[in-house]
């Protein structure tokens, strides 16, 4: 089990959705939903703490692999993340992605936090800062209108690839 | 201590024209912005005011009006003495067409280092922009639970 106390939130995204906590929970944990808004990835999660967490591309390849850290329907879902789908990224230390679901009036407040256990360069954080608004905007649209906002996943910017290469060479998390 | 900057991005299945109109229309802001209706002639240098139930909530000065790409104004909350000592900050809306959707970026900066307004807008923008997206995509709006709490506390 990982020591979550070592992880600090680096990227936070909040969205409010006209839906119920149970439906937002389903949208985050049911592959039929995630395929619609998460760049076509299907979530595959063992519904228990310590269970396996994966995001699978349409061809079945593993894009993200991790372990469930919190499974508390319909309030909080957290897992570790290793991005195996992009070369080199899978060798970085795992990050922690958590979703908090709270009622807010007749709507739901969804808070995503991407936390890291080491001093991640801004260039590497950029990937999540670009991706999360797309993913969570589209999740909101799926729940409110039944239709995702069409999104294309962009490849990582050159400075992000360079930052990953440098991090893997220097391994600053080991010091 | 560096000066804080708040950035929020949302993707809306709409057109830049419709998003820009919603941000500058008295009727639309009154709906999606929890009753805070904007009034301005939107000429650079002109005032912009937001009233809710007849009360002045927010005022500013138009800095840029470039439909349907860019809108900015200074931002001074008027509804709470907590913020009365602060200089106006600045909000910029950038709209970018991406296929059949709009990428909306809200950037709010020019705060004092110890700004109290910053904490308030950091909570506020995700709900305002979420409600704007619901208004344009699903013809519904979200409401702000903190107004209920304030009303309950005042009664």
């Amino acid at each position: 089990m990982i020591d979550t106390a070592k992880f600090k939130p680096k990227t936070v995204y909040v969205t409010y959705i006209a839906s119920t906590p149970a439906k937002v929970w389903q949208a985050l944990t049911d592959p039929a939903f995630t395929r619609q808004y998460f760049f076509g990835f299907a979530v595959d999660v063992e519904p228990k703490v310590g269970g396996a967490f994966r995001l699978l591309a349409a061809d079945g390849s593993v894009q993200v692999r991790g372990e469930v850290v919190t499974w508390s329907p319909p309030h909080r879902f957290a897992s570790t993340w290793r991005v195996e789908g992009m070369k080199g990224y899978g060798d970085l230390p795992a990050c922690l992605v958590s979703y908090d679901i709270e009622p807010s009036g007749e709507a739901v407040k969804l808070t995503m936090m991407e936390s890291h256990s080491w001093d991640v360069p801004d260039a590497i954080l950029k990937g999540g800062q670009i991706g999360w608004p797309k993913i969570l905007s589209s999740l909101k649209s799926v729940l409110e209108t039944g239709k995702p906002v069409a999104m294309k996943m962009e490849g990582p910017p050159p400075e992000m690839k360079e930052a990953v290469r440098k991090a893997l060479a220097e391994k600053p998390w080991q010091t | 201590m560096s000066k804080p900057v708040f950035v929020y991005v949302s993707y809306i299945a709409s057109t830049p024209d419709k998003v820009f109109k919603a941000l500058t229309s008295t009727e639309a802001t009154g709906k999606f912005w929890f009753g805070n209706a904007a009034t301005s002639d939107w000429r650079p240098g002109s005032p912009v005011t937001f009233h809710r139930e007849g009360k002045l909530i927010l005022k500013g000065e138009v800095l840029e009006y470039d439909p349907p790409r860019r809108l900015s104004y200074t931002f001074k909350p008027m509804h709470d003495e907590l913020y009365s000592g602060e200089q106006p900050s600045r909000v910029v809306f950038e709209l970018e067409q991406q296929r059949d959707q709009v990428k909306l970026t809200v950037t709010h900066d020019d705060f004092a280092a110890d700004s109290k307004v910053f904490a308030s807008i950091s909570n506020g923008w995700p709900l305002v922009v979420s409600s704007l997206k619901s208004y344009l995509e699903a013809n519904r709006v979200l409401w702000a639970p903190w107004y209920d709490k304030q009303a309950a506390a005042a009664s």
Side-chain angles (χ1 to χ4, degrees), chain B residues 2-15:
Chain B
S2 64
K3 289 187 174 181
V5 177
F6 179 85
V7 180
Y8 189 82
V9 174
S10 181
Y11 293 81
I12 303 175
S14 187
T15 64

Side-chain angles (χ1 to χ4, degrees), chain B residues 2 15 24 29 35 72 77 86 89 94 99 105 117 126 128 135 149:
Chain B
S2 64
T15 64
T24 51
T29 49
S72 84
E86 289 192 30
S89 50
E94 291 165 286
R99 300 204 287 189
T105 305
V117 176
V128 173
Y135 175 71
K149 283 178 199 147

